[in-house]
Amino acid sequence: MNYSLTWDLNTIFPGGSHSKELQQRMATLDEQITELHQAVQSFEAEKRITTNLLTILNWNAKVSNGFEECGSFIEALLSADVSDTKAKLLSGELSKKIPKYQLAMTIFSKKLAAIETNDWKQWLTDSKLKSIAFRLEEIRRDGNKLLSDTQENIFHTLSLDGLKAWSQHYDTIVASIIIPFTEKDGSKVELSAGQAFNKMNSHPDADVRAEIFEKWEQAWSQKADLFSDTLNHLDGFRLSTQKLHGIENYLQEPLENNRLKQETLDTMWSTIQKNKQPFVDYLTRKAQLLGNDKMKWQDQEAPVLLGNMHEETYTFDEAAAFIIKNFREFSPKMATFAQSAFENSWIEAEDRPGKRPGGYCTSFPESQESRIFMTYSHSMNEVATIAHELGHAFHSSVMWDLPVLNQEYAMNVAETASTFAELIVADATLKKAQTKEEKINLLDVKLQNAIAMFMNIHTRYIFENHFYQARQKGLVSTEQISEMMVNAQKESYLDSLANYHPHFWAAKLHFFIDDVPFYNFPYTFGYLFSTGIYAFANEQKTNFEEDYIALLRDTAAMTTEELAKKHLGVDLTQPDFWQAGINKVLEDVNEFMSLTKDYV
Ligand SMILES: [Zn+2]
């Protein structure tokens, strides 16, 4: 066994950024967009001819798959080699094709919206439309909110220098952030925001973490007025756009994006809030292990290294074997899938300069393949990352034969298969731990995730709610925003931390994303949803694989509440399901507390 550390993209398009086949596919894409336009233009909603509708959907599938196939390929080239200038040009060329596609779909959804409700319901009973009825309903619903073609076009055009521009402006300010730091050997360095962030969170020396945190806060506060202008105008633009479309509730859009009821979201958060004390106790215990009374903001992700703990390392082949073996205990199909991903070089893992940081999984609907991007340097955390990304790839693989519309799952369920796969590997690693210290370290890594989901992301959700409410009344001052943030942190962490992070709102990119409002609660949802599925898998293993795949295949075909009811038999608007998931995490907290009690 000797798996390749670099991926093979030639089976998608041969020849990298100079691929003739890619050029050819992009040219065909133009023709297909034109075909789609014509089909939409000639579509007569009042006649409701199913074959005409299916023709539009057929062209839409070709165009949407074409964008994804080419877009994923170009992104893959850029991730693996940031200096690939030809790929950068291709990326711009592909983006230019998007507005024409958007316009076709705007016209289409408005035509569906114009159909009388009774006629529409009647039409959806057509056997050829039944399987995609849910998605068609969504397209029609969105069409109902749209203004005239001309007005929508004005919105799209202005948002390039409005909503999108503010988001890009954020990146520009972040790029100017410099954090001065003196290394152990006395050499002075200037850290970028990204470099400082990594050092601040994971450096084993508490003094270094504290020093960087102080400078970190300073750096963001020095430019706070620029960030508060940006946030005010970005969210202001969004609120105005919603209002002009008749939307008064700022949560409507994020809830619809995630196919979720407000009631479900409220139940999730209130169940979490009721269960916070044991997590606070864990944080305090961890603080004590680090030599403090209370947890400091910057120490939440610090490693717990007791005794003469050394962290296990794995070669890439060992990681592959470990993942495949443990997947097999839950699902032979997942194991076989993972094995073929390694065998066919779907993973770019080599540690070399010129690669982008981070990791992701991307899919190629026309080749029906996926690719995983990451940098592997032998740590246990990275084994979990590979498992996570393989979970995403597996999710895609079980949906390839479905209609394209039914493959478009939302952010809250997107992390289901990945978190599930990661949980399998995290638990397998825990079982394998040789010493008490190693076990404590691994449990802590697992619990950092829970803290991120229950406390940190809850903070962001509380903050955004307060910010939007204030912003609806007018501009919000920098001081007010920071105060709102500290209050949200205190509420979420039950006032248990030694220090807070007032400029977290400026430092966190997620508040400045233009196309996804409330880039927070879907994470916590996905985490608890997959924890629930994992608990379910451990209880009744017999038919699990089949049930699990059936659930994944339905992730874009119904509301999230319906998905949970149909496949798990649970009601998400009630606390039970959430409580069961939290109880599962509490088992780890209890074990951590009992293993560490002799150390404090
Ligand atoms: Zn993921």
Side-chain angles (χ1 to χ4, degrees), residues 272 276 279 450-456 458 492 524 527-528 582:
I272 289 172
K276 277 192 173 164
F279 293 96
I451 294 298
M453 299 297 156
F454 296 161
M455 317 295 235
N456 191 310
H458 195 195
S492 177
T524 308
Y527 173 75
L528 275 178
I582 297 166

Side-chain angles (χ1 to χ4, degrees), residues 359-361 385 388-389 391-392 414-419 422 523:
Y360 67 82
C361 173
T385 304
H388 179 104
E389 303 305 343
H392 282 302
E415 292 303 332
T416 303
S418 53
T419 316
E422 201 182 326
Y523 277 118

Side-chain angles (χ1 to χ4, degrees), residues 26 29 67 71 74-75 88-102:
M26 285 172 66
L29 186 57
F67 269 113
I74 296 166
E75 276 305 298
K88 256 178 228 163
L89 292 175
L90 287 168
S91 171
E93 224 177 281
L94 189 67
S95 303
K96 265 197 276 174
K97 303 179 198 299
I98 297 172
K100 194 172 171 192
Y101 173 45
Q102 278 177 330

Side-chain angles (χ1 to χ4, degrees), residues 105-107 109-110 142-148 152 245:
M105 294 316 280
T106 301
I107 299 170
S109 57
K110 284 189 63 187
D142 293 341
N144 259 314
K145 286 178 222 142
L146 298 175
L147 307 173
S148 74
E152 288 302 326
H245 283 90

